[in-house]
Amino acid sequence: MIDRYTRPEMAAIWSQENKLKVMMEVEILACEGMAAIGQIPQEAAKNIREKASFTVERVNEIEKTTRHDVIAFVSCLAENIGEDGKYVHAGMTSSDILDTGLAVQMKQAGEANLKLLKEFAEVIKEKAIQYKDTLCIGRTHGVHAEPITFGLKLAVWYEETLRNIERLEHAIENISAGQISGAVGTFANIDPRIEEYVCEHLGLKPEPVSTQVIARDRHTEYMMTLAIIATSLDKFMTEIRNLQRTEIFEVMEEFKKGQKGSSAMPHKRNPMTCERICGLARVIRGNVIPTLENSVLWHERDLAHSSVERVIIPDSTTLLYYILSLAINVVKNLEVHEDQMMANVEKTLGLVFSQRLMLTIVGKGNQRDDVYPLVQAHALRAWDTKTSFKELVRQDETIMQYITEEELDNIFDYGYHTKNVDYIFKRCGLID
């Protein structure tokens, strides 16, 4: 795990202490399940629940000899339990507690990220409503197209975030599967009812069929979901970075008192937090290839996936939690320059109305192929000469024979482009 990006909440989930604590609960529940069906004495299960304990230091010490982490862990539990320690891990295999324990941790980490993702959606929603009618230029290919509103930009982010919430909820549900099925998953040495008992008490569902390990397509879906969410954040923050460029200057990420933007240039205000989010999203996406490869194991199992997962799963969940935290603050504290947005809309001297002008003339019974070059000629001239597009149109008798002065004024009305904003916001559930 990348310690400098660790957050206390996620660090606790992926700590060795929590991992072994979850594994211990799996072992205890298995013993209680055995007692429930009469395989071991009820008193033994009670004793195991009361006395089972471990220390990370002791487990590590035993592992130096056994060179097997699960055996070291089980031995540590047995030391503290005493005579009834003989029942611990009976009929089970290492993957029973490792995969079931990992499912619990991934569920915990997923739910922590889900909570932040929902908070992020609410922050976007608030900003979208605030700037619902704030006119700004829409850009295609990086070039001015037609006016939209800044709220509409944010509405797109909101909808995408809602889909990400659904994706993550599904991934959490899918990863919440445990197994207590013994070597090669046949239940030869352990009753299937034990698995049902353990999973029910851990909030998991039993894996319908396992091969000593839980199939890694579940983990792959989970990790790819994290990558999709990270990519959405990358997309949103890239837009902010572009809009903060000096030439555009429509939004800026927060710049706190005393903050420095450059070691060399005192005037600099750089979108450093957005850039950090974009950079770390690449790491999360980079972990998708290893998780895909983890799905391919030899026969019923091997260990090729295990060492990889100990790195990529804690890293990806922790990094996503970190960049979600950053993104919430970026959007919440975003500086929006509404005057500059309007100035940028007007920078192209009315060219944003070229399509409406063309459609109006076509609507008077003319052919589109005849009207397009007529309008385009004035549009290019307006840009080249820095002349008002509307004035050039007004001076063209060929065009004005089809429209009145009143119609011309209506054509160059920004409200035409924003008349359906409320409809879109209602459809998104942003307003009633």
Side-chain angles (χ1 to χ4, degrees), residues 53-284:
S53 64
F54 67 88
T55 64
V56 173
E57 293 75 18
R58 179 54 180 155
V59 172
N60 291 340
E61 183 181 358
I62 298 173
E63 189 178 351
K64 289 178 183 178
T65 300
T66 63
R67 299 186 67 184
H68 192 291
D69 56 346
V70 174
I71 293 175
F73 173 67
V74 172
S75 296
C76 181
L77 293 183
E79 281 182 350
N80 294 314
I81 293 169
E83 178 65 21
D84 289 329
K86 63 187 177 184
Y87 298 119
V88 175
H89 207 67
M92 297 167 64
T93 190
S94 297
S95 291
D96 286 335
I97 60 170
L98 289 174
D99 276 10
T100 304
L102 180 59
V104 172
Q105 288 180 285
M106 291 179 75
K107 182 181 180 183
Q108 291 172 343
E111 289 172 345
N113 274 304
L114 181 61
K115 182 179 178 181
L116 277 190
L117 193 58
K118 289 179 177 179
E119 182 180 343
F120 183 55
E122 287 303 308
V123 170
I124 297 173
K125 179 178 181 178
E126 182 180 335
K127 288 291 183 182
I129 294 171
Q130 181 180 354
Y131 296 106
K132 176 173 67 72
D133 300 312
T134 300
L135 202 69
C136 68
I137 192 65
R139 299 174 177 89
T140 58
H141 308 276
V143 177
H144 283 208
E146 292 185 349
I148 59 172
T149 72
F150 188 59
L152 276 178
K153 277 183 183 282
L154 297 174
V156 173
W157 299 5
Y158 178 72
E159 273 293 302
E160 188 166 335
T161 302
L162 292 186
R163 291 193 294 274
N164 282 332
I165 289 171
E166 291 179 4
R167 291 184 183 105
L168 187 53
E169 287 174 339
H170 183 271
I172 293 170
E173 172 65 23
N174 209 28
I175 201 60
S176 300
Q179 64 162 49
I180 307 292
S181 53
V184 298
T186 62
F187 294 103
N189 299 299
I190 192 163
D191 193 298
R193 289 175 291 177
I194 309 303
E195 180 182 77
E196 293 176 2
Y197 183 93
V198 172
C199 288
E200 180 183 355
H201 284 76
L202 290 175
L204 307 176
K205 54 183 175 290
E207 177 66 34
V209 55
S210 60
T211 63
Q212 189 163 331
V213 295
I214 293 174
R216 258 42 197 176
D217 64 289
R218 294 184 183 273
H219 304 71
T220 298
E221 179 192 29
Y222 182 99
M223 293 290 285
M224 291 184 76
T225 299
L226 301 185
I228 291 171
I229 297 169
T231 299
S232 293
L233 297 181
D234 189 356
K235 167 187 169 181
F236 305 157
M237 298 305 116
T238 295
E239 180 68 8
I240 292 173
R241 289 166 61 193
N242 265 313
L243 295 179
Q244 186 164 334
R245 289 165 53 205
T246 307
E247 295 82 1
I248 297 176
F249 201 60
E250 292 181 356
V251 303
M252 298 188 78
E253 72 172 49
E254 183 184 27
F255 197 80
K256 294 184 177 180
K257 184 177 181 181
Q259 184 175 336
K260 304 294 190 296
S262 165
S263 63
M265 297 167 282
H267 72 278
K268 296 278 281 179
R269 282 187 60 174
N270 302 323
M272 296 173 63
T273 304
C274 292
E275 290 170 339
R276 192 181 316 156
I277 292 169
C278 294
L280 292 176
R282 298 172 187 174
V283 178
I284 298 173

Side-chain angles (χ1 to χ4, degrees), residues 287-323:
N287 286 338
V288 167
I289 296 301
T291 196
L292 285 167
E293 294 184 352
N294 280 348
S295 290
V296 184
L297 303 177
W298 285 18
H299 306 299
E300 277 57 63
R301 75 157 296 188
D302 63 39
L303 273 179
H305 67 288
S306 177
S307 56
V308 181
E309 289 175 349
R310 295 184 189 206
V311 176
I312 65 173
I313 296 176
D315 270 11
S316 287
T317 52
T318 300
L319 286 175
L320 181 61
Y321 191 87
Y322 176 62
I323 64 176

